[in-house]
Amino acid sequence: MDGAGRRPRPQDEDALEKPAVRKLTGVSHFFAAASYSWAGFQRLIKESAFRQELLFGAVSLILLIAVGATLSELVIAVILLLALFAIEALNTAIEEVIDRISPEISMVGKHAKDLGSFAVLCMLSACGLFLLFTIGKHLIAIVFG
């Protein structure tokens, strides 16, 4: 029965059915997922913030190597940078969805975008603090060691 107390007509039931989605499995699922990830990267590289974060990451790794960072410090830096890139991707996804469903300016959309931006800021701060501490520690060891 529908909201008006009527039974749905057969054509109404057909209209409600969703088209069958073919689920990939095995190796084809892996390659499909990889192609989706590559498409996401290609979309993200169009964002100037992401390009700046990539540059920040490259410069950071070069500086860490230059001051003699340990392998574990380099691994931690790479993990933090990958987390930063992931959060930037999620922030961009939030912005895309908000712009799609609510092209007009709304407080809910603004809050969602602001929260995504704050998440990126927190991750940038975590990366920056780690880099300042690690590079500073190695510079002090070079100067006073």
Side-chain angles (χ1 to χ4, degrees):
M1 297 262 188
D2 65 10
R6 301 175 301 200
R7 291 188 185 274
R9 296 180 301 202
Q11 67 269 24
D12 292 340
E13 289 175 12
D14 293 338
L16 296 176
E17 289 183 26
K18 295 180 180 178
V21 175
R22 188 173 145 238
K23 297 278 184 174
L24 300 175
T25 59
V27 175
S28 51
H29 172 75
F30 172 80
F31 286 113
S35 72
Y36 304 146
S37 296
W38 179 248
F41 175 77
Q42 288 178 312
R43 167 59 187 90
L44 195 58
I45 200 76
K46 295 176 183 175
E47 293 290 318
S48 63
F50 179 65
R51 292 192 306 273
Q52 292 166 1
E53 291 159 359
L54 278 176
L55 179 62
F56 168 73
V59 169
S60 298
L61 292 174
I62 290 168
L63 286 173
L64 285 169
I65 292 167
V67 298
T70 65
L71 179 61
S72 61
E73 290 168 334
L74 289 170
V75 169
I76 291 168
V78 168
I79 291 169
L80 286 170
L81 289 167
L82 288 172
L84 171 64
F85 301 155
I87 291 173
E88 182 63 48
L90 292 172
N91 183 46
T92 300
I94 289 167
E95 291 175 353
E96 292 267 339
V97 170
I98 294 300
D99 290 345
R100 171 73 169 109
I101 63 174
S102 180
E104 71 283 345
I105 296 175
S106 71
M107 287 309 293
V108 173
K110 180 186 181 326
H111 290 191
K113 288 182 174 188
D114 290 348
L115 289 165
S117 180
F118 179 69
V120 172
L121 175 66
C122 288
M123 200 63 230
L124 276 169
S125 299
C127 290
L129 286 171
F130 175 77
L131 291 166
L132 283 174
F133 173 78
T134 305
I135 292 170
K137 177 180 78 167
H138 284 281
L139 287 177
I140 288 171
I142 290 169
V143 170
F144 297 109

